[in-house]
Amino acid sequence: MDRSDVVAELEKLARDRDSRDELAELRNRFTIPDGVSYLDGNSLGPPCRTTSAALTELVDRQWAPALIEAWERHDWWSAPRRVGDRIGRVLGAAEGQVVVGESTSVQIFNALTTGCRLAAGREVVLVDADHFPTDLYLSRSVTRLLGLRPLRVPMGDAVGALDEHGDEVAVVFCSAVDFRTGELADIPGVTEAAHRRGALVLWDLSHAAGLVPLELDTWQVDLAVGCTYKFLNGGPGAPAFLYVSHRHQDSADPVLTGWHGHRAPFGMDPEYQPAEGIDRFRIGTPQVLSMLALEHALAVFDEVTTVRLWEKCGELADFFRHCFAQLCGDLDLTIVTPADPARRGGHITVHAPEAARRWKALAERGVLGDLRNPDMLRFGLSPLVVRFSDVVRAVTELADISRTGAHLDDRFGGSGLMG
Ligand SMILES: *Cc1c(COP(=O)(O)O)cnc(C)c1O
């Protein structure tokens, strides 16, 4: 069979699967430009079609008429808790353990310092060696601030390192999904190994929340953080979330103490008295506009479970591999993401020399993926918006570009724009 027949067959297979996919209708809730295959929802989810109307309504019907009274009349005050509980459902967390607000780095800082204080007397923070840069920078700066020692360990060695150094470890701080390779960590396994040695865990769920079926309560996770603009589709700059298990809330002593986290916020007390429960992890005035856009985007998760989303994501990943085997087998491309469904997250990473050039050439053909310089192409498989036909298109274009050398054209030179 020649290549065009192979492609035609894969396209037919994709059409069949799209037509049988009961989640396909959910794509219509989101705005994606015509002709674009969007394989970067793991970096920035697309907007809901109704988000702009919801934001306009918020400004015109809440903020403008009610002004300062909107905090009470429209319940802006409780939004960090309310939206937090909504995210909690996606994380497998009972109510009262998640708060939303601030940026991801602020929540990481607050969570990590909190964990270290809860585990006082222990000297080491065990850090995922392949953690996202912010997480690595903050783990270094927090350990320096508190006089502790960071120990960077690849996720595959985390359990072994805990067996060796466990008694010294205060907090194990890892990513649920490796942002480069798309590898999924063994969250319950690492959590249990940490607990066996008396350490706490802090998971960064940025690439997992809204996709991977999570059971934070069941797994007895201590602390977790994440951004909300990836698979949760909250929009650029949407506030981050922080999960603190009920078990730790009363003894937690947050470093970032603001008036919203005070027991009596309107008492304007010169001395800080922490609020009960998760409220003590509120800090200051939250980003209400972004938070309500996020709340709006979360509505879709009332209609579909992460179990089903995860299942479709796995089907997309298997289909990607199938197309790749048929079309890219003889090219200078290799999938680095594990094939085992238990070990892969929501994106597939392809090792490709001169990845930036191929990434730009793909974008020119309407396939928006992502780039991790110097040699990794990432294809996000957000099951809410990615169709099987997007997958076959991405792999076909990648194969075509690579086979013809189209990416070697001068216009694809220079460094990556958003890498
Ligand atoms: C996306 C991501 C972040 C993002 O941090 P921002 O401060 O929101 O830019 C942090 N950590 C991980 C693991 C991520 O995947």
Side-chain angles (χ1 to χ4, degrees):
M1 220 170 19
D2 76 19
R3 284 176 41 78
S4 60
D5 292 334
V6 174
V7 171
E9 198 149 292
L10 291 171
E11 285 172 343
K12 178 171 178 308
L13 198 55
R15 277 195 303 275
D16 284 352
R17 299 199 61 172
D18 284 330
S19 68
R20 282 186 282 116
D21 173 16
E22 88 283 2
L23 298 185
E25 173 272 325
L26 293 175
R27 189 174 194 272
N28 299 326
R29 311 280 178 89
F30 298 91
T31 307
I32 294 180
D34 284 344
V36 167
S37 285
Y38 192 50
L39 294 138
D40 207 5
N42 56 322
S43 268
L44 178 65
C48 296
R49 279 191 195 284
T50 49
T51 294
S52 62
L55 281 173
T56 302
E57 163 144 350
L58 171 68
V59 175
D60 293 350
R61 301 269 176 87
Q62 297 188 14
W63 183 10
L67 296 170
I68 191 77
E69 292 181 339
W71 284 101
E72 220 173 308
R73 199 184 304 164
H74 298 293
D75 212 14
W76 292 355
W77 184 268
S78 56
R81 283 280 305 263
R82 186 179 70 237
V83 181
D85 282 339
R86 217 158 170 167
I87 290 179
R89 278 184 248 153
V90 178
L91 306 179
E95 291 192 354
Q97 300 178 100
V98 180
V99 73
V100 174
E102 318 298 335
S103 63
T104 318
S105 39
V106 168
Q107 295 295 16
I108 292 171
F109 179 84
N110 217 16
L112 189 54
T113 47
T114 294
C116 292
R117 281 184 168 182
L118 283 167
R122 289 169 169 247
E123 304 252 295
V124 173
V125 174
L126 195 153
V127 184
D128 181 349
D130 299 307
H131 228 330
F132 190 79
T134 293
D135 303 64
L136 288 174
Y137 306 157
L138 275 168
S139 59
R140 177 132 294 163
S141 113
V142 164
T143 47
R144 197 148 59 89
L145 181 73
L146 301 179
L148 306 177
R149 197 154 49 85
L151 177 66
R152 290 189 184 177
V153 174
M155 278 311 290
D157 302 338
V159 172
L162 278 163
D163 287 340
E164 206 174 312
H165 306 280
D167 296 343
E168 300 165 70
V169 175
V171 177
V172 178
F173 177 32
C174 302
S175 270
V177 176
D178 184 303
F179 77 101
R180 284 195 188 86
T181 64
E183 181 159 2
L184 176 67
D186 176 7
I187 307 174
V190 172
T191 301
E192 204 195 306
H195 288 171
R196 265 202 310 272
R197 306 306 301 266
L200 302 181
V201 291
L202 164 57
W203 287 99
D204 188 326
L205 303 174
S206 293
H207 270 285
L211 177 73
V212 179
L214 298 166
E215 293 294 341
L216 298 193
D217 287 351
T218 306
W219 298 336
Q220 307 231 348
V221 166
D222 303 288
L223 299 151
V225 292
C227 65
T228 60
Y229 49 78
K230 292 175 178 165
F231 293 103
L232 294 171
N233 309 308
F241 67 83
L242 167 66
Y243 164 92
V244 182
S245 162
H246 275 312
R247 300 190 305 282
H248 300 304
Q249 291 176 3
D250 291 341
S251 38
D253 181 14
V255 170
L256 293 174
T257 44
W259 71 286
H260 279 236
H262 194 281
R263 179 178 303 251
F266 293 95
M268 302 292 152
D269 185 349
E271 298 305 329
Y272 183 74
Q273 300 273 351
E276 293 289 313
I278 193 71
D279 281 336
R280 74 179 53 178
F281 289 94
R282 298 182 59 160
I283 304 171
T285 301
Q287 307 97 315
V288 172
L289 295 177
S290 293
M291 181 135 13
L292 296 191
L294 167 63
E295 184 170 33
H296 188 78
L298 292 173
V300 73
F301 293 96
D302 292 341
E303 291 173 56
V304 60
T305 62
T306 48
V307 171
R308 179 63 194 109
L309 289 171
W310 182 236
E311 192 178 64
K312 178 174 168 189
C313 184
E315 291 164 7
L316 290 167
D318 288 339
F319 189 56
F320 190 107
R321 289 185 165 274
H322 177 67
C323 296
F324 191 90
Q326 307 260 311
L327 299 173
C328 301
D330 56 340
L331 298 170
D332 56 346
L333 303 166
T334 327
I335 294 179
V336 300
T337 308
D340 177 358
R343 290 184 53 221
R344 69 184 177 206
H347 61 271
I348 287 201
T349 301
V350 175
H351 179 272
E354 305 217 66
R357 285 174 167 272
R358 296 185 215 228
W359 169 68
K360 287 182 202 165
L362 280 169
E364 193 187 62
R365 297 176 181 207
V367 175
L368 293 189
D370 208 339
L371 169 71
R372 285 296 168 263
N373 271 326
D375 54 14
M376 293 200 198
L377 292 168
R378 292 194 321 185
F379 298 94
L381 303 174
S382 175
L384 286 170
V385 296
V386 174
R387 299 164 297 196
F388 290 89
S389 47
D390 294 311
V391 169
V392 72
R393 180 180 174 200
V395 179
T396 305
E397 294 292 6
L398 176 62
D400 187 67
I401 287 165
S402 304
R403 190 174 311 279
T404 60
H407 59 293
L408 300 175
D409 190 284
D410 279 350
R411 68 187 189 287
F412 301 127
S415 61
L417 292 175
M418 298 179 280

